[in-house]
Amino acid sequence: MASPRIQRWAVTLCGYEYSIVYKAGKDHQNADGLSRLPVAETGVETPAEEERVLLLEENGVPLVKADQVRKWTDKDTVLARVREFVLRGWPKRVEKSVFGAYVKRKEELSVEAGCVLWGARVVIPPPGRTDLLKHLHTTHPGIIRMKGLARSYMWWPKMDADIEAMVKTCTMCQENRNSPQCAPLHPWEVPNLPWRRLHIDYAGPWMGKMFLILVDAYSKWIEAYPLSKSTSAVTIQCLRQSFSQHGIPEMVVSDNGTSFTSMEFQEFMARNGIKHVTTAPYHAASNGLAERAVQTFKGLIKKSSGDSIEVKMARALFSYRITPQSTTGKSPAELLCGRKLRSTLDLIHPDFKGQVQEKQVKQKLYHDQHAKERHLREDVSPWHVDHDKVFASPAFLAPGL
Ligand SMILES: [Zn+2]
């Protein structure tokens, strides 16, 4: 039995993918002389290992990983044979009651790293099915959403029936059957509204700064904060600022960086009713969205002009936010704010709407002046002021705008 400490590390490391390459001792040439010289004792004690909050296993269901799927496939008499058939060709006759579901799909089956795939979906051997059903069911998404989620990742014969059976026997799902929109977002789902799920990550240091990067899973809107340190307190301060502008998200996804796993950060999430997910189950590249946002941001900043980081950032982010995404055809601003942000590019368009509006304003002004004159002549008191109208006018509420 491994010690709790080793287990903790094992689970923390689960969030990463490794490619380990053997290198013989004689080939190690990257250490220079200085790195081998002993350093004088400083008397500073190595700080105790920080307690990590293992949200990875928050629902207590073990993670299912590709390597495990391969091992189960090796041991499963049916699936191991299916894998053989896929690799070496299907026999003329197979037992329909056993292989029927696979034969139907044989043109679309493939093998990757020892796992059988149907299209992009991993065929799950029986020992993994229960745990994956539990993962899919984490937020009680209901039959339809649970099937939708499952279909983008996995398959096994009669998977849909298994999902239906699970939901039908779940009291919570049955009680909330008529209000599926209340079911919270599952970590694997693509949100259908902006600013519901945010991915965050630290990047840098570049130009002497660390950058906290936030990306909205729906609109791909990116926010970035240049910081001199990446503590939990600073992270919270930045998130608070973003939340004050766009609202509080349902879910925040981050890696296991200490600024995200501290008690302080967890409390901030809990106080705001935000579900904090540190690594999505099953897919190791779960925070890929944040990693891509970091790369995008890095690329933009490099190309951006300006004397200070702030100016560079503002220019880079503005141009990114108004540029339509190839996948959606819409800009992050359109998806998040529901409108196109006006930019200097708008100047090239002949603004017919603006001209018409200008004309209408002039007409109204002329009309009102004349109407007022008539009104004043009829009124008993020439000093009557309609306070409601004056105080409600935008000019009064927002002087200077
Ligand atoms: Zn349920």
Side-chain angles (χ1 to χ4, degrees), residues 281-356:
Y282 197 67
H283 267 240
S286 56
N287 210 13
L289 205 58
E291 281 157 30
R292 272 199 300 283
V294 167
Q295 291 312 315
T296 305
F297 177 74
K298 208 172 160 183
L300 287 167
I301 276 286
K302 264 190 205 159
K303 286 181 257 165
S304 183
S305 63
D307 296 332
S308 65
I309 294 177
E310 285 74 18
V311 174
K312 274 174 184 278
M313 265 181 50
R315 286 181 180 156
L317 288 175
F318 183 60
S319 109
Y320 168 81
R321 289 166 179 169
I322 62 169
T323 307
Q325 303 273 300
S326 50
T327 42
T328 57
K330 293 203 166 161
S331 67
E334 275 175 279
L335 292 175
L336 178 65
C337 317
R339 66 185 174 92
K340 283 185 176 170
L341 299 188
R342 196 174 173 280
S343 74
T344 45
L345 290 172
D346 287 271
L347 294 172
I348 64 167
H349 290 285
D351 192 355
F352 292 121
K353 206 178 161 195
Q355 284 168 12
V356 171

Side-chain angles (χ1 to χ4, degrees), residues 170-192:
C170 169
T171 341
M172 198 186 276
C173 282
Q174 291 312 303
E175 278 170 7
N176 298 305
R177 207 169 37 180
N178 296 324
S179 54
Q181 69 278 14
C182 297
L185 199 62
H186 190 281
W188 301 351
E189 259 178 310
V190 177
N192 52 8

